[in-house]
Tab-separated table of all heavy atoms in Angstrom:
chain	number	residue	atom	x	y	z
A	8	PRO	N	0.806	-1.226	0.000
A	8	PRO	CA	0.000	0.000	0.000
A	8	PRO	C	0.840	1.277	0.000
A	8	PRO	O	0.444	2.278	-0.610
A	8	PRO	CB	-0.857	-0.110	1.263
A	8	PRO	CG	-0.197	-1.124	2.122
A	8	PRO	CD	0.541	-2.035	1.196
A	9	ILE	N	1.991	1.255	0.661
A	9	ILE	CA	2.824	2.455	0.669
A	9	ILE	C	3.404	2.712	-0.718
A	9	ILE	O	3.347	3.832	-1.237
A	9	ILE	CB	3.940	2.357	1.735
A	9	ILE	CG1	3.324	2.484	3.130
A	9	ILE	CG2	5.009	3.425	1.507
A	9	ILE	CD1	4.279	2.291	4.278
A	10	GLU	N	3.949	1.673	-1.333
A	10	GLU	CA	4.532	1.865	-2.665
A	10	GLU	C	3.471	2.314	-3.661
A	10	GLU	O	3.697	3.226	-4.459
A	10	GLU	CB	5.220	0.588	-3.131
A	10	GLU	CG	5.993	0.784	-4.421
A	10	GLU	CD	6.841	-0.407	-4.786
A	10	GLU	OE1	6.478	-1.555	-4.448
A	10	GLU	OE2	7.873	-0.188	-5.430
A	11	GLU	N	2.310	1.719	-3.618
A	11	GLU	CA	1.210	2.095	-4.522
A	11	GLU	C	0.822	3.564	-4.334
A	11	GLU	O	0.657	4.311	-5.306
A	11	GLU	CB	0.014	1.198	-4.259
A	11	GLU	CG	-1.178	1.462	-5.151
A	11	GLU	CD	-2.332	0.529	-4.839
A	11	GLU	OE1	-2.112	-0.701	-4.766
A	11	GLU	OE2	-3.457	1.032	-4.666
A	12	ALA	N	0.699	3.992	-3.083
A	12	ALA	CA	0.327	5.380	-2.804
A	12	ALA	C	1.405	6.350	-3.270
A	12	ALA	O	1.103	7.420	-3.814
A	12	ALA	CB	0.058	5.558	-1.307
A	13	LEU	N	2.668	5.990	-3.080
A	13	LEU	CA	3.752	6.882	-3.474
A	13	LEU	C	3.939	6.942	-4.989
A	13	LEU	O	4.266	8.004	-5.530
A	13	LEU	CB	5.053	6.478	-2.776
A	13	LEU	CG	5.027	6.643	-1.254
A	13	LEU	CD1	6.346	6.184	-0.649
A	13	LEU	CD2	4.712	8.076	-0.850
A	14	VAL	N	3.713	5.832	-5.675
A	14	VAL	CA	3.776	5.842	-7.143
A	14	VAL	C	2.700	6.784	-7.694
A	14	VAL	O	2.956	7.586	-8.605
A	14	VAL	CB	3.640	4.410	-7.706
A	14	VAL	CG1	3.349	4.423	-9.205
A	14	VAL	CG2	4.911	3.606	-7.421
A	15	ALA	N	1.500	6.722	-7.129
A	15	ALA	CA	0.419	7.611	-7.559
A	15	ALA	C	0.761	9.069	-7.270
A	15	ALA	O	0.518	9.950	-8.106
A	15	ALA	CB	-0.892	7.221	-6.881
A	16	LEU	N	1.330	9.327	-6.105
A	16	LEU	CA	1.732	10.691	-5.752
A	16	LEU	C	2.770	11.211	-6.739
A	16	LEU	O	2.655	12.324	-7.253
A	16	LEU	CB	2.287	10.734	-4.317
A	16	LEU	CG	2.865	12.071	-3.861
A	16	LEU	CD1	1.783	13.145	-3.809
A	16	LEU	CD2	3.544	11.913	-2.503
A	17	ALA	N	3.800	10.435	-7.004
A	17	ALA	CA	4.880	10.870	-7.895
A	17	ALA	C	4.371	11.108	-9.318
A	17	ALA	O	4.873	11.992	-10.019
A	17	ALA	CB	6.003	9.840	-7.893
A	18	ALA	N	3.386	10.336	-9.753
A	18	ALA	CA	2.857	10.462	-11.106
A	18	ALA	C	1.886	11.633	-11.262
A	18	ALA	O	1.602	12.056	-12.391
A	18	ALA	CB	2.157	9.167	-11.511
A	19	ALA	N	1.400	12.158	-10.152
A	19	ALA	CA	0.424	13.242	-10.208
A	19	ALA	C	1.070	14.516	-10.762
A	19	ALA	O	2.259	14.761	-10.567
A	19	ALA	CB	-0.142	13.504	-8.810
A	20	PRO	N	0.283	15.335	-11.459
A	20	PRO	CA	0.827	16.589	-11.992
A	20	PRO	C	1.000	17.641	-10.903
A	20	PRO	O	0.531	17.471	-9.783
A	20	PRO	CB	-0.249	17.017	-12.995
A	20	PRO	CG	-1.515	16.418	-12.469
A	20	PRO	CD	-1.118	15.127	-11.813
A	21	GLY	N	1.685	18.716	-11.261
A	21	GLY	CA	1.749	19.880	-10.386
A	21	GLY	C	3.019	20.048	-9.585
A	21	GLY	O	3.082	20.909	-8.710
A	22	TRP	N	4.054	19.273	-9.853
A	22	TRP	CA	5.310	19.420	-9.125
A	22	TRP	C	6.023	20.675	-9.611
A	22	TRP	O	6.063	20.959	-10.813
A	22	TRP	CB	6.188	18.185	-9.309
A	22	TRP	CG	5.535	16.969	-8.727
A	22	TRP	CD1	4.863	15.999	-9.406
A	22	TRP	CD2	5.452	16.628	-7.345
A	22	TRP	NE1	4.365	15.064	-8.533
A	22	TRP	CE2	4.713	15.425	-7.250
A	22	TRP	CE3	5.927	17.206	-6.177
A	22	TRP	CZ2	4.444	14.798	-6.040
A	22	TRP	CZ3	5.666	16.598	-4.966
A	22	TRP	CH2	4.927	15.409	-4.904
A	23	VAL	N	6.600	21.433	-8.696
A	23	VAL	CA	7.239	22.702	-9.021
A	23	VAL	C	8.730	22.519	-9.297
A	23	VAL	O	9.227	22.923	-10.346
A	23	VAL	CB	7.032	23.735	-7.882
A	23	VAL	CG1	7.798	25.011	-8.156
A	23	VAL	CG2	5.546	24.009	-7.692
A	24	ALA	N	9.457	21.951	-8.357
A	24	ALA	CA	10.915	21.845	-8.483
A	24	ALA	C	11.321	20.653	-9.344
A	24	ALA	O	12.137	20.784	-10.254
A	24	ALA	CB	11.566	21.745	-7.107
A	25	SER	N	10.776	19.497	-9.044
A	25	SER	CA	11.080	18.285	-9.809
A	25	SER	C	10.056	17.218	-9.451
A	25	SER	O	9.411	17.293	-8.407
A	25	SER	CB	12.495	17.787	-9.506
A	25	SER	OG	12.617	17.377	-8.162
A	26	ARG	N	9.936	16.221	-10.308
A	26	ARG	CA	9.037	15.091	-10.030
A	26	ARG	C	9.792	14.127	-9.117
A	26	ARG	O	10.930	13.768	-9.400
A	26	ARG	CB	8.652	14.393	-11.324
A	26	ARG	CG	7.700	13.217	-11.114
A	26	ARG	CD	7.219	12.640	-12.430
A	26	ARG	NE	6.516	13.608	-13.253
A	26	ARG	CZ	5.235	13.976	-13.082
A	26	ARG	NH1	4.542	13.452	-12.102
A	26	ARG	NH2	4.677	14.848	-13.880
A	27	PRO	N	9.177	13.694	-8.023
A	27	PRO	CA	9.856	12.763	-7.115
A	27	PRO	C	9.950	11.363	-7.706
A	27	PRO	O	9.234	11.029	-8.654
A	27	PRO	CB	8.982	12.777	-5.861
A	27	PRO	CG	7.638	13.213	-6.328
A	27	PRO	CD	7.847	14.073	-7.535
A	28	THR	N	10.842	10.570	-7.140
A	28	THR	CA	10.978	9.171	-7.539
A	28	THR	C	10.728	8.285	-6.325
A	28	THR	O	11.107	8.617	-5.200
A	28	THR	CB	12.379	8.875	-8.099
A	28	THR	OG1	13.359	9.229	-7.134
A	28	THR	CG2	12.627	9.634	-9.380
A	29	VAL	N	10.099	7.151	-6.571
A	29	VAL	CA	9.795	6.199	-5.514
A	29	VAL	C	10.989	5.276	-5.328
A	29	VAL	O	11.618	4.849	-6.299
A	29	VAL	CB	8.520	5.404	-5.851
A	29	VAL	CG1	8.239	4.332	-4.804
A	29	VAL	CG2	7.331	6.352	-5.972
A	30	VAL	N	11.296	4.971	-4.061
A	30	VAL	CA	12.414	4.106	-3.708
A	30	VAL	C	11.877	2.897	-2.948
A	30	VAL	O	11.066	3.047	-2.042
A	30	VAL	CB	13.433	4.864	-2.821
A	30	VAL	CG1	14.552	3.958	-2.374
A	30	VAL	CG2	13.963	6.094	-3.530
A	31	ASN	N	12.356	1.720	-3.340
A	31	ASN	CA	12.028	0.492	-2.617
A	31	ASN	C	13.226	-0.439	-2.781
A	31	ASN	O	13.327	-1.165	-3.764
A	31	ASN	CB	10.757	-0.152	-3.158
A	31	ASN	CG	10.393	-1.416	-2.401
A	31	ASN	OD1	11.088	-1.837	-1.481
A	31	ASN	ND2	9.302	-2.037	-2.798
A	32	GLN	N	14.153	-0.345	-1.836
A	32	GLN	CA	15.355	-1.169	-1.923
A	32	GLN	C	15.797	-1.618	-0.545
A	32	GLN	O	15.647	-0.899	0.432
A	32	GLN	CB	16.483	-0.422	-2.628
A	32	GLN	CG	16.948	0.827	-1.909
A	32	GLN	CD	17.948	1.636	-2.727
A	32	GLN	OE1	18.129	1.394	-3.909
A	32	GLN	NE2	18.598	2.590	-2.099
A	33	LYS	N	16.350	-2.811	-0.519
A	33	LYS	CA	16.896	-3.363	0.725
A	33	LYS	C	18.410	-3.399	0.617
A	33	LYS	O	18.958	-3.698	-0.443
A	33	LYS	CB	16.386	-4.795	0.947
A	33	LYS	CG	14.913	-4.900	1.225
A	33	LYS	CD	14.519	-6.344	1.439
A	33	LYS	CE	13.028	-6.496	1.619
A	33	LYS	NZ	12.646	-7.898	1.848
A	34	ARG	N	19.056	-3.076	1.740
A	34	ARG	CA	20.523	-3.133	1.814
A	34	ARG	C	20.922	-3.988	2.998
A	34	ARG	O	20.434	-3.790	4.106
A	34	ARG	CB	21.111	-1.748	2.016
A	34	ARG	CG	20.889	-0.813	0.886
A	34	ARG	CD	21.603	0.463	1.187
A	34	ARG	NE	21.051	1.531	0.389
A	34	ARG	CZ	21.730	2.570	0.005
A	34	ARG	NH1	22.978	2.709	0.389
A	34	ARG	NH2	21.182	3.508	-0.708
A	35	THR	N	21.825	-4.911	2.764
A	35	THR	CA	22.341	-5.740	3.843
A	35	THR	C	23.279	-4.897	4.700
A	35	THR	O	24.103	-4.147	4.182
A	35	THR	CB	23.101	-6.955	3.275
A	35	THR	OG1	22.200	-7.676	2.437
A	35	THR	CG2	23.608	-7.848	4.379
A	36	VAL	N	23.131	-5.013	6.009
A	36	VAL	CA	23.972	-4.271	6.939
A	36	VAL	C	25.323	-4.979	7.034
A	36	VAL	O	25.394	-6.146	7.424
A	36	VAL	CB	23.310	-4.173	8.330
A	36	VAL	CG1	24.205	-3.437	9.309
A	36	VAL	CG2	21.954	-3.505	8.236
A	37	ILE	N	26.371	-4.276	6.673
A	37	ILE	CA	27.712	-4.851	6.748
A	37	ILE	C	28.122	-4.934	8.211
A	37	ILE	O	28.002	-3.970	8.965
A	37	ILE	CB	28.719	-3.996	5.947
A	37	ILE	CG1	28.319	-4.006	4.475
A	37	ILE	CG2	30.140	-4.507	6.137
A	37	ILE	CD1	29.096	-3.053	3.610
A	38	GLY	N	28.584	-6.111	8.612
A	38	GLY	CA	28.990	-6.306	10.001
A	38	GLY	C	27.832	-6.626	10.925
A	38	GLY	O	28.005	-6.691	12.136
A	39	GLY	N	26.655	-6.835	10.362
A	39	GLY	CA	25.492	-7.149	11.179
A	39	GLY	C	25.435	-8.630	11.522
A	39	GLY	O	26.296	-9.423	11.130
A	40	TYR	N	24.428	-8.977	12.260
A	40	TYR	CA	24.212	-10.373	12.651
A	40	TYR	C	23.366	-11.071	11.587
A	40	TYR	O	22.568	-10.427	10.903
A	40	TYR	CB	23.535	-10.441	14.013
A	40	TYR	CG	24.402	-9.900	15.120
A	40	TYR	CD1	24.238	-8.607	15.594
A	40	TYR	CD2	25.403	-10.691	15.666
A	40	TYR	CE1	25.057	-8.113	16.603
A	40	TYR	CE2	26.218	-10.205	16.669
A	40	TYR	CZ	26.043	-8.915	17.134
A	40	TYR	OH	26.857	-8.426	18.122
A	41	PRO	N	23.504	-12.377	11.469
A	41	PRO	CA	22.749	-13.117	10.435
A	41	PRO	C	21.236	-12.933	10.532
A	41	PRO	O	20.556	-12.947	9.511
A	41	PRO	CB	23.136	-14.572	10.673
A	41	PRO	CG	24.442	-14.520	11.385
A	41	PRO	CD	24.426	-13.246	12.193
A	42	ASP	N	20.700	-12.745	11.721
A	42	ASP	CA	19.255	-12.592	11.881
A	42	ASP	C	18.781	-11.146	11.742
A	42	ASP	O	17.573	-10.891	11.819
A	42	ASP	CB	18.818	-13.128	13.248
A	42	ASP	CG	18.962	-14.639	13.346
A	42	ASP	OD1	19.011	-15.301	12.280
A	42	ASP	OD2	19.039	-15.160	14.467
A	43	ASP	N	19.709	-10.190	11.548
A	43	ASP	CA	19.323	-8.794	11.391
A	43	ASP	C	18.527	-8.596	10.109
A	43	ASP	O	18.833	-9.195	9.072
A	43	ASP	CB	20.557	-7.880	11.327
A	43	ASP	CG	21.214	-7.673	12.674
A	43	ASP	OD1	20.629	-8.068	13.692
A	43	ASP	OD2	22.321	-7.110	12.693
A	44	LEU	N	17.506	-7.757	10.184
A	44	LEU	CA	16.767	-7.393	8.984
A	44	LEU	C	17.624	-6.448	8.147
A	44	LEU	O	18.364	-5.624	8.697
A	44	LEU	CB	15.462	-6.688	9.359
A	44	LEU	CG	14.407	-7.531	10.064
A	44	LEU	CD1	13.259	-6.648	10.526
A	44	LEU	CD2	13.896	-8.620	9.135
A	45	PRO	N	17.534	-6.524	6.836
A	45	PRO	CA	18.281	-5.572	6.010
A	45	PRO	C	17.683	-4.181	6.167
A	45	PRO	O	16.497	-4.032	6.503
A	45	PRO	CB	18.084	-6.098	4.592
A	45	PRO	CG	16.839	-6.917	4.655
A	45	PRO	CD	16.752	-7.470	6.051
A	46	ASP	N	18.505	-3.136	5.950
A	46	ASP	CA	17.969	-1.783	5.914
A	46	ASP	C	17.045	-1.704	4.707
A	46	ASP	O	17.423	-2.085	3.601
A	46	ASP	CB	19.088	-0.754	5.762
A	46	ASP	CG	19.842	-0.505	7.055
A	46	ASP	OD1	19.320	-0.870	8.122
A	46	ASP	OD2	20.942	0.055	6.998
A	47	TRP	N	15.831	-1.254	4.938
A	47	TRP	CA	14.849	-1.192	3.858
A	47	TRP	C	14.506	0.265	3.623
A	47	TRP	O	13.909	0.913	4.480
A	47	TRP	CB	13.618	-1.984	4.229
A	47	TRP	CG	12.688	-2.330	3.110
A	47	TRP	CD1	12.569	-1.696	1.897
A	47	TRP	CD2	11.736	-3.385	3.097
A	47	TRP	NE1	11.607	-2.293	1.141
A	47	TRP	CE2	11.087	-3.346	1.846
A	47	TRP	CE3	11.379	-4.358	4.013
A	47	TRP	CZ2	10.078	-4.239	1.508
A	47	TRP	CZ3	10.382	-5.244	3.670
A	47	TRP	CH2	9.742	-5.191	2.428
A	48	GLU	N	14.885	0.775	2.481
A	48	GLU	CA	14.555	2.137	2.097
A	48	GLU	C	13.287	2.082	1.251
A	48	GLU	O	13.309	1.640	0.102
A	48	GLU	CB	15.703	2.777	1.316
A	48	GLU	CG	16.950	2.948	2.162
A	48	GLU	CD	18.142	3.465	1.386
A	48	GLU	OE1	18.132	3.399	0.138
A	48	GLU	OE2	19.090	3.919	2.029
């Protein structure tokens, strides 16, 4: 639901400075524990 809402927001007209981009990426924490969740942007 968050990604869907943000994609709709970014696609909407009326942006002044620039059109935003949606981000959905996971990054493994270097030096973390095996059970740690990845950083999710």
